[in-house]
Amino acid sequence: MVPADYYPAADAAKLRDAYVGKSLADIPTPAFVVNRKVVESNCQNMLSRAEKLGASFRAHVKTHKTNEGVAYQLGDKAEKVVVSTLMEAWKMRDFYQQGKITDVLYGLPVVKSRIGELVELSKQVKNLRLMIDHESQLDAVIEYSKQHGLSKPWSFFIKVNMGTNRAGKSSGSDELTKLIQKALAPENTEYLSIYGFYCHAGHSYAAKSVAQATDFLKQEIQAANEACKIAKEIQPSLQLTISVGATPTAHASDSIDLSSLGQLSGELELHAGNYPFCDYQQMATNCITKNNVACTVLAEVASCYAGRGDQAPGEVLINAGVIALAREPGPLPGWGKVATPGFEDWYAGRLSQEHGILVPTENTNPSFPELGQRLQIIPQHSCITANAFSWYYVTDGEDKVVDIWSTWRGW
């Protein structure tokens, strides 16, 4: 048993019996609604982008956390994934056994408390990769290997920080060079095997156009490529992977001219995670449109307050607050945008735990919805919003529930 085995999961079969065939007017709110046709289209388009780029594709599964979503992301072209929790990795065991996933990257820098579990996971999947961004992490896995007599070296990416400032050694820094040198030191080759360099331009979410997102992608490739050059100066025989991508930069990948970047010192790999669902944040980048958003939070109008607030006609209370929508900011105002026709000028302007307050978009004077009106709201950031729900109500873009996807929750 591993920690993931102790977390409860929603019974998808019973939920299907209860809800498949019902309309969205008949399900309890708040609810997370997924249009699987859009998910499929988004995933196929991303696989095509990677192919056009001449890159392999590594699907990040953290947004949806479902078996169904993984299948759409892999299509018939991909077999590599990245996870943010070990729960995600363990829940994909069927894909490993079927040979559909052969390569798993644990996308957080390794911590000591989970090394033993990572060893067990490595027995399940053909290739397990770690993420490294500090010398002490290398020390930790080397020490574990020595203590437990492990004969197989750890395969890992080194994380390169090219501006996001979340994780990784800064591109071009002495610290990055020292980390590479330690990873390739002769005394460590028994325990360590560097697989490549990984960049994630999380700050590309601030892009306002495909052109800006393309510039961020170029920066990702250049940063990882420069790190590859440093490693190959030490060990010229290395076969390395240049792994780049964030959903905005991945969306822009078919606009880049790789020849303008010169010779690459590794094989190119594209990764992304938010793209199956997309959200209000992605709409702000102008790399997608509303038609690419596959998920909404279905909420219900509980009350209306004429004359309250700064703008006419007032404010609306819904039964979806922080717990259902998440308090994740973005370039566009609010915590979610109403997508229901006739009410698009309302957005979630304030939230408390279970209460959401809809306010009018500036310079509009929309009609109040009726009490009991169900509204579909595009979340600001679907990765965090989806995590609040133990199952999704799946449609084909119509009003009817056609499936239930049970989600993975926990660490």
Side-chain angles (χ1 to χ4, degrees):
M1 298 284 283
V2 294
D5 294 324
Y6 295 102
Y7 285 95
D11 190 325
K14 289 183 178 179
L15 287 162
R16 290 185 184 107
D17 288 342
Y19 294 114
V20 168
K22 291 190 174 182
S23 75
L24 297 184
D26 297 322
I27 64 174
T29 61
F32 196 83
V33 179
V34 172
N35 182 335
R36 68 182 179 186
K37 285 188 175 181
V38 176
V39 171
E40 181 178 20
S41 175
N42 288 347
C43 290
Q44 286 298 318
N45 287 339
M46 189 58 73
L47 290 169
S48 295
R49 289 188 182 96
E51 187 174 37
K52 181 180 178 181
L53 188 64
S56 60
F57 186 69
R58 186 179 295 275
H60 207 318
V61 304
K62 74 182 181 70
T63 297
H64 56 82
K65 299 179 189 280
T66 64
N67 288 305
E68 295 86 351
V70 171
Y72 281 125
Q73 285 185 287
L74 296 177
D76 58 3
K77 298 178 181 178
E79 56 184 27
K80 299 188 291 185
V81 299
V82 51
V83 302
S84 288
T85 65
L86 286 178
M87 166 67 82
E88 296 160 26
W90 286 113
K91 287 296 185 179
M92 291 186 288
R93 278 175 276 201
D94 286 348
F95 289 95
Y96 312 152
Q97 293 169 5
Q98 296 164 12
K100 294 180 178 178
I101 293 176
T102 62
D103 191 308
V104 176
L105 166 63
Y106 179 48
L108 267 69
V110 63
V111 294
K112 289 183 179 180
S113 66
R114 307 306 284 267
I115 294 177
E117 192 175 344
L118 286 163
V119 173
E120 292 304 309
L121 180 62
S122 71
K123 300 173 184 178
Q124 301 285 324
V125 64
K126 184 177 180 180
N127 298 294
L128 177 68
R129 320 288 180 195
L130 303 184
M131 187 74 81
I132 298 294
D133 78 346
H134 198 278
E135 292 181 37
S136 65
Q137 296 153 11
L138 295 178
D139 292 334
V141 295
I142 290 171
E143 183 62 27
Y144 190 96
S145 292
K146 289 179 178 178
Q147 289 180 355
H148 295 83
L150 300 185
S151 58
K152 184 179 180 180
W154 294 92
S155 177
F156 59 93
F157 280 100
I158 289 179
K159 182 71 173 286
V160 180
N161 174 13
M162 42 71 63
T164 299
N165 292 333
R166 182 171 66 186
K169 294 293 188 187
S170 295
S171 177
S173 67
D174 291 340
E175 289 80 7
L176 176 59
T177 299
K178 291 177 182 177
L179 181 59
I180 295 170
Q181 290 170 339
K182 183 179 180 71
L184 294 174
E187 65 270 22
N188 293 331
T189 56
E190 180 182 352
Y191 309 104
L192 304 177
S193 176
I194 185 169
Y195 183 72
F197 295 89
Y198 188 102
C199 289
H200 172 74
H203 54 311
S204 68
Y205 278 54
K208 295 292 190 292
S209 67
V210 171
Q212 289 183 1
T214 302
D215 287 341
F216 281 116
L217 178 57
K218 289 179 181 179
Q219 293 167 30
E220 285 180 303
I221 296 172
Q222 289 168 334
N225 192 46
E226 287 304 311
C228 280
K229 290 178 181 178
I230 295 170
K232 295 192 79 166
E233 286 175 0
I234 300 171
Q235 190 173 323
S237 62
L238 284 173
Q239 301 294 313
L240 298 171
T241 297
I242 295 171
S243 190
V244 297
T247 290
T249 61
H251 277 143
S253 61
D254 49 7
S255 300
I256 194 170
D257 178 10
L258 284 179
S259 65
S260 67
L261 300 178
Q263 182 67 35
L264 297 184
S265 297
E267 295 296 319
L268 194 59
E269 173 185 285
L270 187 67
H271 58 256
N274 178 272
Y275 69 94
F277 281 177
C278 291
D279 47 35
Y280 201 34
Q281 162 70 70
Q282 296 301 330
M283 288 173 62
T285 68
N286 290 305
C287 294
I288 66 158
T289 70
K290 180 181 174 181
N291 292 334
N292 298 110
V293 179
C295 65
T296 56
V297 173
L298 182 67
E300 204 163 337
V301 174
S303 194
C304 295
Y305 309 99
R308 196 176 79 177
D310 298 330
Q311 295 188 85
E315 297 181 337
V316 173
L317 179 70
I318 58 172
N319 64 336
V322 174
I323 301 301
L325 285 169
R327 189 172 272 145
E328 177 77 0
L332 299 174
W335 317 108
K337 177 75 168 176
V338 176
T340 303
F343 301 101
E344 295 98 331
D345 287 329
W346 293 95
Y347 69 93
R350 300 200 311 279
L351 300 176
S352 51
Q353 186 162 322
E354 274 88 19
H355 301 72
I357 304 297
L358 301 183
V359 300
T361 302
E362 189 175 355
N363 298 320
T364 67
N365 187 6
S367 299
F368 274 120
E370 295 181 0
L371 269 63
Q373 170 78 45
R374 289 162 182 253
L375 301 174
Q376 289 186 260
I377 300 170
I378 298 172
Q380 186 71 255
H381 194 62
S382 60
C383 302
I384 300 174
T385 301
N387 196 58
F389 296 86
S390 295
W391 66 86
Y392 309 148
Y393 296 91
V394 179
T395 76
D396 280 329
E398 306 298 332
D399 183 61
K400 185 178 291 186
V401 177
V402 298
D403 200 5
I404 297 289
W405 293 358
S406 178
T407 63
W408 316 324
R409 295 291 170 263
W411 307 102

